[in-house]
Amino acid sequence: MSITRRTLLAAAALVGLAATGPATAQAPQFFRIGTGAAGGTYYPIGGMIANAISCPPGAPCREAGGTAGVPGLVAVAQATQGSVQNVNLIQSGAAESGFSQSDVAHWAYTATGLFEGRPKADKLRFIAHLFGEQLHAVVRRDSPVQRLEDLRGKRVVVGLQASGARIGSELVLEAAGLRGAYTPEYLAAQQGVERMQDRGLDAVLQVVAAPAAAFTEFCSRAGCRVLPFTDAQINAVNQRAPFYSRGVIAKGTYEGVTEDVPTLSVGAVWLIGAQVSDALAYEVTKSLWSETTKGLLSRGHVRARDIVAETALMGRGDVPFHPGAERFYREAGLLR
């Protein structure tokens, strides 16, 4: 049985338990959100958003003591490999929505950049910018590796095959002059740090919003260092991928990180399929930006607090708004 089918059946069971109305009550409408792997940021934040926009049949919706969710909607956060898989799931109709790095979304929709020569993912539509992500390059505290260039000949985790993290990792390693000069391992951050703790590999590169659970645990348990990027490396990546900008992993983000670490940052956006009705896309967007959802997010993951209306329209590139989301933003005064 597939992950999606298992997840939806589990959600349906929960709806059945939660529903208090008569047997003739409306059937739930399922809405899948492609997120990322465990140990990252997409998956836990996806779960928070799924809870916030859900309001199963029989539950009080948008009233005192109820949720701000869409009446009749059951949203499910689906674990995936990340950005690249998510845009493919949306394009194929295997997911209604998903998270993506803004560069991956733009390249996939326009069939440009690292997606040149592939079919255009023309069913992608934009809902919102969520938060910024940082490119991490993490090694053991006792590692002889001090800078990216020292990874020559080393075993390096660059992210899962179908992830935006892999694209970012390969861009910065190429900027450091290491194209083809290291052994790539296609693993999620959690798998990578476990292998690194066992000295089965030398470094983990990952695009993920800080603090990432996998790195927090590893740095506290085994000790770590985060490698800084040089101005030349940052500029080289930015010239090839303008969605990346100068960023920082602040001191104290992880145990043992005692100084700010210069790095690259890229936005995480929420995409939805063109096949989703205008009415549902409007209601989902409205639910995301409700005061109730804002309160739920502010009490959740630290990066969820960065999901604010002031940055909602950032990082869209050439991906068009979904008409339902666009309608909400015009009514809210965020689009003129």
Side-chain angles (χ1 to χ4, degrees):
M1 185 182 293
S2 69
I3 292 174
T4 300
R5 180 167 173 76
R6 286 200 306 269
T7 305
L8 294 182
L9 287 174
L14 290 174
V15 170
L17 291 173
T20 57
T24 56
Q26 71 177 111
Q29 180 175 10
F30 291 107
F31 184 87
R32 294 161 291 189
I33 305 173
T35 60
T41 305
Y42 281 8
Y43 186 70
I45 290 182
M48 294 174 203
I49 290 177
N51 287 336
I53 68 173
S54 294
C55 191
C61 306
R62 297 178 178 175
E63 59 187 62
T67 78
V70 180
L73 190 72
V74 177
V76 178
Q78 180 178 335
T80 70
Q81 291 192 23
S83 298
V84 176
Q85 185 178 12
N86 291 341
V87 300
N88 290 335
L89 289 171
I90 296 169
Q91 179 68 15
S92 69
E96 286 70 38
S97 74
F99 298 162
S100 173
Q101 292 173 201
S102 56
D103 58 331
V104 173
H106 172 80
W107 285 331
Y109 180 78
T110 58
T112 58
L114 298 182
F115 283 75
E116 189 171 354
R118 304 185 192 184
K120 179 179 177 180
D122 58 356
K123 293 183 173 60
L124 301 182
R125 297 294 183 268
F126 183 87
I127 300 181
H129 173 275
L130 299 177
F131 49 82
E133 300 184 86
Q134 292 73 43
L135 209 168
H136 293 62
V138 179
V139 298
R140 296 185 306 273
R141 184 169 52 204
D142 61 356
S143 170
V145 174
Q146 299 294 325
R147 54 183 188 155
L148 285 178
E149 291 85 345
D150 296 336
L151 292 174
R152 183 175 298 276
K154 304 296 186 183
R155 298 154 299 178
V156 182
V157 169
V158 294
L160 293 166
Q161 286 275 13
S163 68
R166 179 184 63 80
I167 293 174
S169 298
E170 290 175 349
L171 282 171
V172 75
L173 288 167
E174 184 173 336
L178 297 177
R179 184 174 186 177
Y182 60 92
T183 301
E185 298 281 352
Y186 301 104
L187 301 171
Q190 185 64 53
Q191 298 167 299
V193 295
E194 289 171 1
R195 289 268 306 275
M196 189 161 61
Q197 182 173 347
D198 295 336
R199 302 183 182 274
L201 49 82
D202 300 289
V204 176
L205 269 66
Q206 187 81 11
V207 179
V208 63
F215 293 133
T216 297
E217 180 182 354
F218 174 74
C219 294
S220 298
R221 182 180 66 242
C224 74
R225 284 184 292 105
V226 182
L227 303 181
F229 300 165
T230 67
D231 288 345
Q233 291 160 358
I234 291 171
N235 293 337
V237 172
N238 180 252
Q239 287 174 12
R240 187 171 176 195
F243 282 90
Y244 282 90
S245 60
R246 188 177 301 273
V248 65
I249 296 174
K251 65 179 181 181
T253 299
Y254 303 107
E255 188 173 326
V257 177
T258 57
E259 296 181 352
D260 290 349
V261 180
T263 186
L264 286 152
S265 181
V266 65
V269 298
W270 190 10
L271 304 173
I272 191 170
Q275 72 276 12
V276 176
S277 72
D278 292 1
L280 179 55
Y282 173 86
E283 293 296 338
V284 166
T285 310
K286 178 180 178 180
S287 179
L288 173 67
W289 297 117
S290 71
E291 286 300 314
T292 302
T293 297
K294 181 179 179 181
L296 290 173
L297 294 175
S298 70
R299 297 188 296 273
H301 192 285
V302 63
R303 286 284 74 82
R305 300 168 201 167
D306 295 339
I307 302 175
V308 293
E310 290 78 6
T311 60
L313 309 184
M314 292 174 54
R316 184 169 64 87
D318 285 346
V319 180
F321 285 105
H322 192 290
E326 183 176 11
R327 174 189 159 201
F328 172 82
Y329 288 127
R330 292 195 184 281
E331 290 179 359
L334 295 174
L335 271 177
R336 304 280 179 195

